[in-house]
Amino acid sequence: MKTLTLKLPPLLYKGIKENAAEKGISMERYSIEALEIHNRTHNRKKLAKAFSRASFLVRESSMEINAEWDQLLDD
């Protein structure tokens, strides 16, 4: 494990402390869980954006292939 030192604004620190106590876990465990959730969310957004870009790039090609299939089926 690596060490990360944070300087938190008082209100954020208080919120973390209260939420960790409410869940019955340490502030460290709470912070790690919050960062894991944030990373998963961020990675999902990046992946969705990449799929969207890729979909846009192949859209024209897919339409051409569909047109070819339609023509073959009509013949």
Side-chain angles (χ1 to χ4, degrees):
M1 288 216 145
K2 299 283 184 177
T3 300
L4 175 66
T5 303
L6 299 172
K7 291 187 179 190
L8 301 172
L11 194 56
L12 180 58
Y13 179 85
K14 181 183 177 195
I16 292 171
K17 186 175 181 178
E18 289 173 357
N19 290 335
E22 194 175 288
K23 288 184 78 170
I25 58 176
S26 69
M27 288 178 59
E28 177 184 13
R29 182 74 246 155
Y30 181 85
S31 299
I32 289 170
E33 287 178 7
L35 290 169
E36 287 172 344
I37 291 167
H38 178 75
N39 278 340
R40 272 197 309 272
T41 302
H42 180 70
N43 290 337
R44 285 181 185 155
K45 286 181 182 178
K46 283 189 339 188
L47 188 58
K49 193 174 187 178
F51 277 126
S52 178
R53 261 187 267 123
S55 175
F56 179 76
L57 293 174
V58 300
R59 182 179 300 151
E60 187 175 325
S61 173
S62 293
M63 288 174 27
E64 290 172 5
I65 292 169
N66 286 339
E68 288 177 22
W69 275 105
D70 286 343
Q71 190 176 25
L72 287 172
L73 292 174
D74 288 343
D75 291 342

